[in-house]
Amino acid sequence: MDLATLKALKPSEYQEAAAGYRTTSKMASTAKDAIDNRISAQIRNQLEGETANAALRELKELSKDFHYTQTECALISTALDGFAFDMAAAKRKLEAAIEDAKAAGCTVDADGSVSFPAGGKEVDGKVPEGGTVSASPSPTDPTAAALERQAVHMHPNPNFGKAVGFADRIGDALKEATDADAKWAPKLRALKADDDLVVSDKDWSDVKADTDAVRDAGKSYLDSLPQPPKHDSPKDNAAWWNGLTDEQRSDYLAVHPDSVGAMDGLPATVRDQANHTVLDEAHAKAQLGYDAWLKNHPEPKRYEPYFNPMTGTEVKGTMVESQEWKDWEKARQEARGPLGGMEAIQRRFDTYTDESKRPYLLGFDDKNNGRAIVSIGNPDTADNVVTYVPGTGTTLSGIDGDIRRAELLQDRASFTDPTHTTASIMWLGYDAPQGLLSDATDAKYADAAREPLSNFLTGIGTAHHGSVNSTLLGHSYGTLVAGETMRDHPHLPVNNAILVGSPGVGANHAKDLHIGADHVWAATAKNDLVNLAPPPAGTLAPLNPMAYWRLFNDHSIMYGNDPTSDEFGGRTFHVADGKLPGTDGFMPAHSQYWEGDSLNNMAKIVTGGTP
């Protein structure tokens, strides 16, 4: 980067180019939304047959293209803004140095050197002559800097020292511009698609790398933007987001989709957009890893002849699965990891039929057991919002069933009260315990979930466009999460609580949940084995007489009073007895609250009624 180039460079032209790419990104986003939310939804709603299915497959691929275009163009826009910011800073330094040199009577030459006039006290009857100096070739070298200071101190012409300072400032500006150019050139070159029309997992994997590269290179620019609140306050988050310009929102969203997607208090549409990018990137990484595993672990022969264990002879016509295949299949499922859960989430976006059932991805994280927050219906505009907290054993990999529960309740609530809209949220925003007889006996998982759930519920209230009837629904260990959260946050925007299959909620009385005991509803099926949950003493010392206190005091369970008991002081509603233990799994009744009378009664509570 030379003097003439930097002087002629106009950062505003790159900002204009950034605006153009930002506009293209928005156009792609609009096109994607039109395909997903209008065209495809209407086809699914009105048409059937192979032709319709073929059209939906093609539209799905086109939607992927637009989403990829949206994401990459937003990154290009941010990169150009970052480049313009860096070059503008270098140019300001250059212009300031040139102006200061001119004011001091010096001249900046075309190569960046500085000519200074004669000046100073006469020496042997002559005024010390002027001259020309250039920037130090090693500005960061301590030895070179010391020699330069010594030369300035010894030179008889004071203009010499001034010129040296101007030359060094010019050199610094040119070096800064050169470094910025070298930093951004490869980043911008990398922001291009393959020469095909297929958005592959490799493409989305590259998006993640591109995002990291632009974020790192643009740190100075991004740090200059208004920064998000340090504390995760939904109201502060909302105020920060609302205070950004459209350009700043776009740039921050482009390089921090994971942060934006996790911010309570932001609009559901914004969080959904951010988390969809995170989901696509995570899915691509997981799929590529799984494909590599399959390549390195070919499937062995599945079936082999069966030999009678008593006689050791082969039973003709009978085949069984080989142990080798069983071991391979177990390893394959482990290698596939959370892919099934990611596909279950995406399937909701690929299959919904009308706006009232449109899904929103309000949170996503594939680390450890994974987290996901999915809303069926827009929680920012719905009249009723119910947030369901699942319990023991919930993971991203098996999230399909929990999202289905949110769908069932939203559908039944819409049928129960068709004059008002309902959004039904599945909130796996915490690390759920995995062992029924181990992890679930420890309250630490609920303790860690209290603040995240409180912030989420406050964020829903903050982002909502008007008044809303809010219900918090906990199931199994999720009732402890819900109970502790309400117990410790007395001003939550929650109107009703539903507690089903509860081992206790961390409180002894419904009034401790701060919404009025008559708004706390609980039910446990007769055949639900959670009824046998022991009091804490029973888990600590089986020989302790307190372990058998429950035989005489039937309202004390693991985490406080049974919320269905009179002692708890809330309200109960009818549910079916459920299937007997062992008839369809270990404890089938524990999972039957989203059917029959139980579902109907929960829908009435969610819509502001009484079961």
Side-chain angles (χ1 to χ4, degrees):
M1 180 69 66
D2 57 27
L3 181 69
T5 302
L6 184 55
K7 286 177 68 177
L9 187 141
K10 298 179 180 179
S12 61
E13 293 181 347
Y14 293 91
Q15 291 173 321
E16 291 170 0
Y21 276 102
R22 192 158 43 249
T23 299
T24 303
S25 176
K26 291 180 180 179
M27 291 171 61
S29 176
T30 300
K32 176 185 179 298
D33 288 344
I35 291 171
D36 294 342
N37 305 329
R38 294 205 306 272
I39 301 173
S40 294
Q42 287 301 315
I43 289 176
R44 289 192 293 267
N45 194 35
Q46 299 180 20
L47 302 176
E48 295 181 356
E50 183 53 37
T51 300
N53 292 336
L56 287 171
R57 287 193 294 270
E58 293 300 320
L59 287 168
K60 182 178 179 179
E61 293 304 314
L62 184 58
S63 174
K64 289 181 180 179
D65 291 343
F66 279 124
H67 189 203
Y68 179 75
T69 301
Q70 170 194 346
T71 305
E72 285 288 271
C73 284
L75 282 174
I76 294 171
S77 175
T78 305
L80 289 170
D81 279 335
F83 175 72
F85 177 87
D86 289 347
M87 298 305 287
K91 185 165 183 169
R92 284 194 299 272
K93 291 181 180 181
L94 175 66
E95 291 173 342
I98 292 174
E99 285 297 316
D100 290 347
K102 181 179 179 181
C106 297
T107 302
V108 176
D109 301 320
D111 62 353
S113 60
V114 178
S115 298
F116 60 93
K121 296 180 180 179
E122 292 185 356
V123 178
D124 297 332
K126 295 182 178 180
V127 175
E129 296 179 352
T132 300
V133 297
S134 299
S136 171
S138 305
T140 58
D141 183 0
T143 302
L147 291 174
E148 185 177 80
R149 289 194 299 271
Q150 184 178 18
V152 169
H153 179 73
M154 296 176 61
H155 202 286
N157 186 340
N159 292 322
F160 172 79
K162 297 177 182 178
V164 167
F166 298 140
D168 284 347
R169 287 169 59 189
I170 291 169
D172 288 343
L174 292 175
K175 183 179 185 305
E176 188 172 312
T178 300
D179 290 346
D181 187 52
K183 174 180 68 175
W184 282 110
K187 304 295 186 296
L188 286 165
R189 279 196 294 267
L191 293 170
K192 62 180 181 180
D194 297 335
D195 56 352
D196 57 39
L197 296 177
V198 177
V199 179
S200 65
D201 292 319
K202 179 64 168 59
D203 290 329
W204 273 110
S205 179
D206 289 343
V207 168
K208 181 65 170 65
D210 291 341
T211 301
D212 293 342
V214 172
R215 183 179 60 247
D216 293 343
K219 186 177 186 307
S220 296
Y221 166 63
L222 295 168
D223 287 348
S224 75
L225 303 180
Q227 295 300 293
K230 292 184 178 180
H231 303 290
D232 193 20
S233 162
K235 292 183 179 179
D236 290 345
N237 290 343
W240 167 75
W241 184 258
N242 291 334
L244 298 178
T245 65
D246 287 344
E247 172 189 321
Q248 291 169 341
R249 290 176 182 175
S250 176
D251 286 345
Y252 198 88
L253 179 57
V255 295
H256 291 292
D258 50 348
S259 298
V260 173
M263 279 191 179
D264 297 310
L266 269 58
T269 52
V270 173
R271 296 182 69 172
D272 177 67
Q273 177 186 337
N275 285 313
H276 237 99
T277 298
V278 179
L279 172 65
D280 283 344
E281 292 173 352
H283 182 275
K285 179 182 177 182
Q287 187 66 58
L288 289 172
Y290 178 58
D291 291 344
W293 187 92
L294 288 176
K295 183 178 180 180
N296 294 325
H297 300 81
E299 181 176 4
K301 188 176 180 180
R302 181 169 184 174
Y303 295 102
E304 62 183 10
Y306 174 69
F307 288 84
N308 188 316
M310 301 297 293
T311 63
T313 59
E314 181 180 342
V315 180
K316 298 296 184 181
T318 302
M319 304 289 285
V320 295
E321 291 179 342
S322 67
Q323 187 60 46
E324 183 184 9
W325 185 87
K326 291 179 181 178
D327 293 341
W328 177 88
E329 176 62 9
K330 180 180 179 181
R332 184 193 68 80
Q333 292 179 5
E334 291 176 355
R336 200 166 191 275
L339 267 173
M342 297 183 202
E343 291 166 357
I345 293 172
Q346 184 58 47
R347 189 159 55 248
R348 268 62 189 188
F349 292 90
D350 296 339
T351 57
Y352 77 94
T353 56
D354 62 70
E355 187 63 25
S356 68
K357 302 182 184 304
R358 176 180 173 181
Y360 292 81
L361 185 57
L362 304 182
F364 179 81
D365 187 346
D366 64 336
K367 298 181 182 65
N368 300 320
N369 287 328
R371 299 182 181 186
I373 306 171
V374 179
S375 178
I376 307 302
N378 189 341
D380 293 351
T381 59
D383 300 307
N384 307 300
V385 176
V386 53
T387 302
Y388 155 55
V389 183
T392 302
T394 311
T395 64
L396 176 59
S397 298
I399 205 67
D400 186 44
D402 292 288
I403 300 176
R404 179 59 181 156
R405 290 175 175 177
E407 291 173 323
L408 288 169
L409 185 52
Q410 195 270 351
D411 187 66
R412 189 60 55 92
S414 299
F415 178 80
T416 302
D417 183 5
T419 63
H420 295 89
T421 56
T422 297
S424 182
I425 302 170
M426 189 289 303
W427 187 85
L428 180 61
Y430 79 115
D431 295 322
Q434 295 302 299
L436 186 64
L437 301 178
S438 53
D439 294 349
T441 63
D442 194 330
K444 67 180 181 181
Y445 302 94
D447 296 343
R450 287 177 296 190
E451 288 304 315
L453 180 56
S454 171
N455 285 337
F456 178 78
L457 294 168
T458 302
I460 292 297
T462 300
H464 199 276
H465 297 170
S467 61
V468 59
N469 173 48
S470 175
T471 301
L472 181 56
L473 164 61
H475 172 242
S476 187
Y477 191 91
T479 65
L480 179 62
V481 175
E484 284 196 1
T485 301
M486 296 179 71
R487 179 196 69 195
D488 295 348
H489 301 87
H491 302 296
L492 284 178
V494 173
N495 304 100
N496 316 289
I498 302 175
L499 311 165
V500 291
S502 176
V505 299
N508 286 323
H509 199 281
K511 66 182 181 181
D512 297 332
L513 303 188
H514 306 293
I515 60 172
D518 59 335
H519 287 269
V520 178
W521 297 86
T524 299
K526 178 181 178 180
N527 293 322
D528 188 342
L529 289 182
V530 78
N531 285 306
L532 300 180
T539 64
L540 297 176
L543 298 180
N544 186 335
M546 285 297 295
Y548 304 98
W549 180 248
R550 188 174 181 279
L551 294 174
F552 308 100
N553 182 10
D554 66 359
H555 64 270
S556 176
I557 53 176
M558 189 174 296
Y559 297 112
N561 286 341
D562 183 344
T564 65
S565 67
D566 293 339
E567 289 81 2
F568 187 75
R571 305 174 77 178
T572 61
F573 61 95
H574 173 71
V575 297
D577 291 348
K579 296 178 181 179
L580 290 170
T583 58
D584 185 12
F586 174 52
M587 46 192 301
H590 193 59
S591 302
Q592 289 187 277
Y593 296 101
W594 280 263
E595 58 186 63
D597 287 346
S598 175
L599 182 60
N600 289 333
N601 288 330
M602 289 196 295
K604 291 177 182 178
I605 297 169
V606 166
T607 55
T610 300

